[in-house]
Amino acid sequence: MSRPKIGLVVAVVVGLLTAIAYTFTTSSLEDRIRGDVEAQVARARDLLWKNASFDALELIKRVETFARDDRALEALALPTPAEQKSLAVERLGAMLHDHTTTRQSREVAQRGPKVEFLALVSREGTLIATAPSADYRPDWKQIYPAVASALDKPYRAYKDVWDLDDALFDIGAAPLVDKTTGDLRGVIVAAFTLDDKNAAEQAALLGTGVAYFDATKIRASRMSHPDVAKRLLYEGTLAKEVLAGQPGGIQRLTTGGHSYVAATTALPMNISGRPIGAIILVSLDSALEPVASVQLALVLLGLGALVIALLAMMVTARMILAPAEEIEQGIAEIINGDVDYTFKPAGVDFDGLANALNVMLARLLGRAEPSEDDLGDALEETGTGARVILADDGGFTATPVGGPTVTADPGLIALAAEPEQDYYRRIFDEYAAAKTALGESVEGIVYEAFVAKLRLNEANLKKKYESRAVRFRVQTRDGQVTLKPVPIR
């Protein structure tokens, strides 16, 4: 397979693995985030309903505290409505002031919404006065079920939601009872604001967007995009379910190209049944923003893996394929007739192959096998060299190559019998001394390397001469130091 095809395969494999990791990781992460957001919204909805229930109980408790204050009864004891109103404004103002200034009252007030105003209603259900003073319709018994219930079913307080001057209030209505006679004298009403501040407190507690709404509009909100909440509520079924008394579910909604998770719940304990609800809203797009970072990291990781793979291919091609191509080119040169071609070293991985090819060529063409350095040039092989032959009686004889047998000289016998280590040390010293005598440098000649290569040439010559050993003699001829082989049989 060609390198371009290998590169293409590697690129496809890396791209495929990156795409699989990208798809699996991002889809899994997105599903988990969506599930977490839905669970968060469900918990926030349930917690908001519980908070609203606790606030309703706290509101009833606080209005009952006002009802036990005798100062409101003092105003109801006066004979004329004008006198009742004048004293009621004063007494209610004092009660409201004490409620926000005494230590105990402040602690109570901190546990719920702010008391916006107090109102006093007569036994007949007519508004006497408010503090702060304001002009409202007088027939409160007819228009507000909480007041009617407190008058008709005394000794119990009631909670409701009122819309006064286009403002929304949580109210508590508690009966005023004469402690001496036990007679019902009227009703005191405490109104608590239900505005953006209350929504902000709940949003901070829940970690989500919160808005309060009725059948017509959002009355209070704390969220980044209240217009989104409005569209989701009134263009879909979210508001209709809650306003119809049905439990609100968890829904994924899309508007304006953005996705949200929303849930609704009704505010509890309203005696009038006035449809007031709350919506919990979380931006799914914002929650999924970390996925983009993961996607970018996966893409960069895939690109990095691809670059590393291609660089590894380039390095491999340079270290392995290029030397192989060089040897292939040399073979082509020989095929084309260049029988004198010699393979050069082609790197660590192919040096052995290049050397084997050179030896093969030498043997096929009947020429001297290549040596690894100039030691081969010092090895002289001539047709008149003496051969030392081991006789049956253990003596040595020497004959010229192709000549008759003669008695071996003592020097040849001593050469064959010399211990190997002494022989190698002597031949090295004689070779170095001969070089020095001719004025040649011996700085690069190392004993260990000299002996190793001497052994290599001995092994090759043993096969050639079919002898059991080959030793050398140092000789100087024509101004050149050479090593003359002496086969030993």
Side-chain angles (χ1 to χ4, degrees):
M1 185 181 290
S2 64
R3 275 176 282 177
K5 289 183 179 179
I6 294 175
L8 179 60
V9 170
V10 171
V12 170
V13 171
V14 172
L16 182 61
L17 292 177
T18 303
I20 292 173
Y22 182 95
T23 302
F24 176 78
T25 303
T26 56
S27 62
S28 176
L29 184 59
E30 286 177 353
D31 291 342
R32 181 178 300 178
I33 291 176
R34 289 189 182 97
D36 290 343
V37 170
E38 290 180 1
Q40 177 191 10
V41 170
R43 289 192 300 268
R45 177 198 59 190
D46 297 340
L47 185 57
L48 178 62
W49 188 89
K50 292 179 181 178
N51 291 343
S53 299
F54 288 136
D55 288 343
L57 295 174
E58 181 66 23
L59 183 151
I60 290 174
K61 179 180 178 181
R62 289 164 68 180
V63 76
E64 288 176 342
T65 302
F66 286 120
R68 289 192 292 270
D69 194 318
D70 292 336
R71 285 176 288 184
L73 288 172
E74 293 175 4
L76 292 175
L78 296 177
T80 65
E83 292 174 324
Q84 290 178 348
K85 180 176 181 179
S86 177
L87 186 59
V89 171
E90 178 187 340
R91 294 290 188 264
L92 292 176
M95 292 167 60
L96 188 60
H97 178 267
D98 293 344
H99 173 74
T100 57
T101 55
T102 64
R103 176 181 177 182
Q104 182 177 3
S105 297
R106 285 199 305 270
E107 292 176 353
V108 173
Q110 289 174 356
R111 296 197 297 265
K114 174 186 176 182
V115 179
E116 188 68 22
F117 67 86
L118 293 176
L120 185 61
V121 180
S122 68
R123 178 66 182 84
E124 292 74 24
T126 303
L127 174 65
I128 295 176
T130 63
S133 181
D135 292 329
Y136 297 112
R137 289 179 53 182
D139 51 341
W140 278 25
K141 181 177 181 179
Q142 282 72 33
I143 60 177
Y144 299 126
V147 174
S149 297
L151 290 172
D152 296 339
K153 304 172 184 179
Y155 311 115
R156 178 182 172 186
Y158 297 88
K159 183 258 180 188
D160 205 351
V161 176
W162 291 359
D163 189 349
L164 296 173
D165 295 336
D166 203 28
L168 207 60
F169 296 92
D170 264 335
I171 67 94
L176 291 171
V177 179
D178 191 321
K179 295 181 178 61
T180 303
T181 63
D183 295 335
L184 178 66
R185 303 294 302 276
V187 173
I188 190 167
V189 175
F192 303 84
T193 55
L194 189 60
D195 55 14
D196 292 345
K197 180 181 179 182
N198 306 116
E201 291 174 354
Q202 291 298 321
L205 180 63
L206 303 175
T208 64
V210 174
Y212 298 110
F213 64 93
D214 59 14
T216 59
K217 63 181 179 180
I218 291 178
R219 308 305 297 262
S221 70
R222 176 58 176 179
M223 53 180 56
S224 302
H225 305 288
D227 55 323
V228 172
K230 182 178 180 180
R231 289 199 300 271
L232 295 176
L233 281 169
Y234 300 110
E235 294 177 5
T237 61
L238 285 174
K240 295 177 182 178
E241 292 176 351
V242 171
L243 298 178
Q246 300 174 4
I250 308 297
Q251 296 188 31
R252 293 183 190 175
L253 304 162
T254 301
T255 181
H258 299 283
S259 299
Y260 301 87
V261 177
T264 53
T265 184
L267 297 184
M269 301 179 65
N270 294 329
I271 190 172
S272 65
R274 178 185 175 90
I276 297 293
I279 180 173
I280 308 295
L281 189 67
V282 173
S283 172
L284 192 57
D285 294 339
S286 298
L288 290 173
E289 284 180 357
V291 177
S293 300
V294 175
Q295 291 173 334
L296 178 60
L298 289 173
V299 171
L300 293 178
L301 182 63
L303 292 176
L306 181 59
V307 170
I308 292 173
L310 294 177
L311 288 176
M313 288 179 55
M314 293 174 61
V315 172
T316 302
R318 188 165 186 173
M319 295 178 62
I320 297 178
L321 298 181
E325 290 176 351
E326 185 177 344
I327 291 178
E328 182 181 355
Q329 183 179 359
I331 294 173
E333 292 288 336
I334 296 172
I335 292 173
N336 292 330
D338 186 4
V339 295
D340 294 326
Y341 184 87
T342 300
F343 291 94
K344 298 178 181 178
V348 177
D349 295 316
F350 291 91
D351 278 349
L353 178 59
N355 184 61
L357 289 172
N358 286 328
V359 172
M360 181 184 70
L361 284 173
R363 292 181 181 179
L364 289 175
L365 299 174
R367 65 191 185 195
E369 296 180 9
S371 60
E372 297 186 14
D373 62 12
D374 61 356
L375 178 60
D377 297 333
L379 296 172
E380 180 186 75
E381 181 180 343
T382 67
T384 60
R387 293 183 181 177
V388 178
I389 303 173
L390 179 62
D392 293 337
D393 58 0
F396 290 90
T397 60
T399 73
V401 176
T405 301
V406 297
T407 301
D409 64 67
L412 292 177
I413 295 174
L415 178 64
E418 186 177 11
E420 187 178 72
Q421 293 300 325
D422 295 342
Y423 160 72
Y424 284 128
R425 174 54 65 181
R426 180 184 59 77
I427 202 70
F428 174 78
D429 292 341
E430 291 180 359
Y431 181 77
K435 285 272 192 181
T436 303
L438 293 176
E440 298 180 13
S441 173
V442 294
E443 183 178 354
I445 303 176
V446 180
Y447 174 75
E448 289 78 6
F450 179 88
V451 172
K453 294 173 183 178
L454 201 63
R455 288 179 185 274
L456 178 62
N457 283 276
E458 287 173 357
N460 292 332
L461 291 174
K462 279 197 303 182
K463 294 179 182 179
K464 180 175 181 180
Y465 292 123
E466 298 180 354
S467 60
R468 67 180 179 87
V470 173
R471 289 198 170 180
F472 295 91
R473 283 177 172 174
V474 178
Q475 66 179 16
T476 303
R477 188 174 61 187
D478 299 330
Q480 184 177 6
V481 179
T482 60
L483 296 174
K484 184 176 182 179
V486 180
I488 300 174
R489 292 180 179 172

